[in-house]
Amino acid sequence: MTKVLLTGGAGFIGSHTGLTLLESGHQVVVVDDFSNGSAEAMRRVAELAGLGPWRQASTEHWTAADPEGGRLTLIRGDVRSPQDLDRAFTVDGGDISAVLHFAGLKAVGESMTQPLRYWDVNVTGTVRLLEAMGRHGCQTLVFSSSATLYGTTDQVPIPETAPLQPINPYGYTKAAVERLLTDVAASAPGWRIALLRYFNPVGAHPSGRIGEDPNGLPNNLFPFLCQVAAGRRRHLQVFGGDWPTPDGTGVRDYLHVMDLAEGHGRALDLLLAEPPQRLTLNLGSGRGHSVLEVVQTFEATNGLRLPYTVVARRPGDSAVSVADPREAERRMGWRTRRSLADICRDGWAWQSANPQGYRSAEKEPIGELIRAQHGS
């Protein structure tokens, strides 16, 4: 049984990956500052994984365990804080074998207006994490990278060998971290690093218990679409109707978050089983869907109508972004298994059962904490 640390593990992708790792027999420690994550999400992960009662040891520490040795521990902490990282590496006796690094800011539009914040959290946070890994003798890391690195490219689908030419600060920070990790891997023997460049993760766990719950106004299509369907937003804004695509709206490679979570598990297993290496892989479906196609599939799958308006293009966006995922299948035996209809069905199951996201749990034991986190 391997103990792994997830930075930003209480967020959307981290929570689904944490559940997948627990179900695979790993022990999981999560460090998260709750800027875009939730302790309630972790309580539900523990529940779905069949662990024992979710216990709050303090305002900074929660845990759940079972007699078989399964364990989930949550530490409230900032990835830029050496003290918080040291607590995460030493909790429950320490002995962290690998890190999955999700912590970071991820909204393209927001990065255009807050570049200093993005460089601080995404790059400085990674430096602090690598320093902590050095202090605690851990050299295995799976990094949450992004297809944003490829920017505007004529190569469709996009292979890992395509030039890196990001067009927004978010993409620049991901490129900087990849460069940093490449330098670190070359600096000393023993490093096992996977750079996972994934495209557009969406959907939710099919139980409807965990899903995407962005704070404030969503920056990405799918959570905004779900909030419109739930009546939280009046209509969907489609950014650009004049892109060089079949229907004029942007085309993206959408993959189910559970496929993505399983991809992280495969990458971790590969790193632990093979000699030290630096691995770069795209995670995507290899299929592109336009914004309007997503809207139409969501409506058809769930029997709903979604009002939308087409507005001006958003700075930092591109027309088409579709993965070439063949290398991930070759190296890890991984490919997406879930369809766009599955994404729409599971995403709506989450949103309809949790119309206010994790704040819908206000009657559950940890509800007061969740409301405080979201400023309600």
Side-chain angles (χ1 to χ4, degrees):
M1 182 178 292
T2 301
K3 183 185 288 187
V4 296
L5 171 65
L6 277 61
T7 70
F12 174 46
I13 301 169
S15 59
H16 289 78
T17 302
L19 175 58
T20 298
L21 294 174
L22 288 166
E23 291 174 338
S24 297
H26 297 288
Q27 291 188 354
V28 175
V29 177
V30 169
V31 59
D32 199 296
D33 67 358
F34 302 148
S35 60
N36 205 28
S38 169
E40 173 63 16
M42 291 291 93
R43 188 187 73 79
R44 296 186 186 192
V45 166
E47 170 192 287
L48 290 167
L51 299 181
W54 184 240
R55 303 184 186 281
Q56 184 171 350
S58 71
T59 58
E60 311 295 323
H61 183 184
W62 299 258
T63 189
D66 65 29
E68 303 299 320
R71 190 175 190 88
L72 170 64
T73 300
L74 171 62
I75 300 292
R76 187 203 300 264
D78 190 321
V79 74
R80 294 167 295 179
S81 165
Q83 295 76 20
D84 290 347
L85 289 171
D86 285 341
R87 283 197 302 128
F89 272 97
T90 57
V91 72
D92 301 329
D95 198 27
I96 298 291
S97 297
V99 176
L100 283 78
H101 183 28
F102 299 102
L105 303 174
K106 62 177 185 177
V108 168
E110 184 181 68
S111 77
M112 302 287 286
T113 60
Q114 302 180 41
L116 290 177
R117 181 167 169 247
Y118 270 68
W119 279 88
D120 183 33
V121 174
N122 293 0
V123 180
T124 304
T126 303
V127 171
R128 296 290 172 263
L129 174 63
L130 290 166
E131 291 170 344
M133 292 177 70
R135 289 194 298 274
H136 297 280
C138 180
Q139 287 186 288
T140 301
L141 175 68
V142 179
F143 174 56
S144 171
S145 192
S146 171
T148 309
L149 289 174
Y150 298 121
T152 302
T153 176
D154 294 330
Q155 293 181 263
V156 179
I158 306 170
E160 291 87 352
T161 54
L164 303 188
Q165 45 193 17
I167 57 176
N168 53 66
Y170 167 65
Y172 298 144
T173 65
K174 290 295 187 181
V177 171
E178 283 205 9
R179 180 68 258 176
L180 170 63
L181 293 175
T182 299
D183 291 343
V184 167
S187 70
W191 280 97
R192 293 172 164 87
I193 295 175
L195 311 175
L196 301 185
R197 296 174 182 166
Y198 39 85
F199 282 63
N200 291 72
V202 286
H205 190 269
S207 68
R209 294 294 286 157
I210 57 174
E212 188 168 12
D213 184 25
N215 289 338
L217 187 69
N219 286 284
N220 299 318
L221 169 65
F222 200 79
F224 205 118
L225 179 153
C226 287
Q227 291 187 11
V228 171
R232 290 176 61 181
R233 310 286 174 189
R234 293 182 60 186
H235 62 271
L236 175 70
Q237 287 187 317
V238 177
F239 294 103
D242 58 349
W243 293 104
T245 62
D247 64 17
T249 64
V251 171
R252 295 291 182 271
D253 186 333
Y254 296 96
L255 70 158
H256 198 295
V257 67
M258 292 306 300
D259 282 325
L260 181 58
E262 291 165 4
H264 282 81
R266 293 283 186 92
L268 175 63
D269 291 345
L270 185 150
L271 289 181
L272 293 174
E274 293 188 355
Q277 62 184 295
R278 182 182 62 78
L279 182 66
T280 303
L281 296 173
N282 285 338
L283 296 187
S285 70
R287 296 179 297 276
H289 299 285
S290 73
V291 173
L292 293 186
E293 187 179 353
V294 174
V295 170
Q296 291 159 5
T297 303
F298 190 95
E299 290 179 330
T301 301
N302 299 307
L304 298 168
R305 296 296 295 173
L306 293 172
Y308 67 87
T309 58
V310 178
V311 298
R313 297 181 185 183
R314 184 172 54 182
D317 278 347
S318 58
V320 179
S321 180
V322 177
D324 180 345
R326 290 177 296 177
E327 186 67 5
E329 182 173 6
R330 186 184 74 83
R331 292 291 283 115
M332 305 192 300
W334 175 91
R335 68 168 70 180
T336 59
R337 299 187 294 116
R338 299 160 179 90
S339 68
L340 181 60
D342 294 329
I343 287 168
C344 293
R345 182 195 64 244
D346 294 341
W348 179 236
W350 151 256
Q351 188 69 77
S352 58
N354 303 271
Q356 299 298 319
Y358 291 112
R359 284 168 290 179
S360 301
E362 61 182 24
K363 294 184 179 179
E364 299 188 44
I366 205 167
E368 292 297 328
L369 172 65
I370 302 305
R371 286 201 299 277
Q373 289 168 9
H374 288 270
S376 301

